[in-house]
Amino acid sequence: MTLSSVLAKNTTYLTVSSIAQKALAFVWYIYVTQQLNEETLGEYTFAISFTSIFVIVMNFGFIPLLTRDGAKEPTKLQQAFNSIISTKLILTLVSVGILIAVFQGLNYYSPQSQYTVLLVYMATGIIVFDTFRSTIFAVLRAQQRMQY
């Protein structure tokens, strides 16, 4: 395959997947707003917003770094992946610990409903999963395998 055909194919995959992801998120949010009442929608929004703050610490800019360095030097991709996964594991544990401590502190001074507590813990699990999923996709992008 020529460079231009690989570039065109990968650009198409990334563009289509980005548009599809945004469309699905839009449809999902419309569905959620129709299914939940005002109070539970507020709890849902709080859980998503609160846990999203801690994603910054978990990701810390490693995804573009892994993609760029892995594409530059494919022979060092495994070493970079191992280093970043190790660092992300530590940062994720610290971040989740802080998230739980802050949430428990908020819950102590301003008790939340059981629904909110459940949503925050579920959102925490989802962002932890997504943090490591995005690292794997960064490796695939570095290897120019956009179809996954």
Side-chain angles (χ1 to χ4, degrees), residues 53-108:
I53 294 168
F54 295 90
V55 171
I56 297 166
V57 176
M58 291 179 199
N59 283 332
F60 216 62
F62 290 126
I63 302 304
L65 180 70
L66 182 60
T67 303
R68 184 191 68 212
D69 291 351
K72 274 185 190 175
E73 295 190 49
T75 57
K76 295 184 178 180
L77 182 60
Q78 182 67 44
Q79 179 185 2
F81 176 75
N82 292 340
S83 298
I84 287 175
I85 282 290
S86 301
T87 306
K88 274 187 141 187
L89 185 60
I90 293 166
L91 288 173
T92 299
L93 291 172
V94 169
S95 182
V96 168
I98 293 170
L99 183 149
I100 291 171
V102 169
F103 183 67
Q104 290 301 325
L106 288 174
N107 201 25
Y108 178 77

Side-chain angles (χ1 to χ4, degrees), residues 55 58-59 63 88 92 127-135:
V55 171
M58 291 179 199
N59 283 332
I63 302 304
K88 274 187 141 187
T92 299
I127 63 169
V128 167
F129 171 77
D130 190 58
T131 294
F132 290 100
R133 180 207 53 86
S134 63
T135 307

Side-chain angles (χ1 to χ4, degrees), residues 66-67 77 81 134-145:
L66 182 60
T67 303
L77 182 60
F81 176 75
S134 63
T135 307
I136 293 167
F137 279 122
V139 169
L140 293 173
R141 278 193 300 274
Q143 295 174 337
Q144 299 179 5
R145 295 183 183 172

Side-chain angles (χ1 to χ4, degrees), residues 1-63:
M1 239 181 203
T2 66
L3 180 61
S4 61
S5 65
V6 170
L7 183 64
K9 180 182 78 164
N10 289 342
T11 301
T12 303
Y13 281 132
L14 284 175
T15 303
V16 169
S17 66
S18 179
I19 291 169
Q21 184 269 332
K22 289 183 184 0
L24 283 172
F26 181 71
V27 170
W28 172 251
Y29 202 73
I30 289 174
Y31 174 76
V32 166
T33 56
Q34 291 178 346
Q35 297 300 314
L36 301 178
N37 62 33
E38 291 173 6
E39 183 179 333
T40 53
L41 180 61
E43 291 173 332
Y44 172 80
T45 304
F46 168 77
I48 298 297
S49 300
F50 181 75
T51 54
S52 293
I53 294 168
F54 295 90
V55 171
I56 297 166
V57 176
M58 291 179 199
N59 283 332
F60 216 62
F62 290 126
I63 302 304

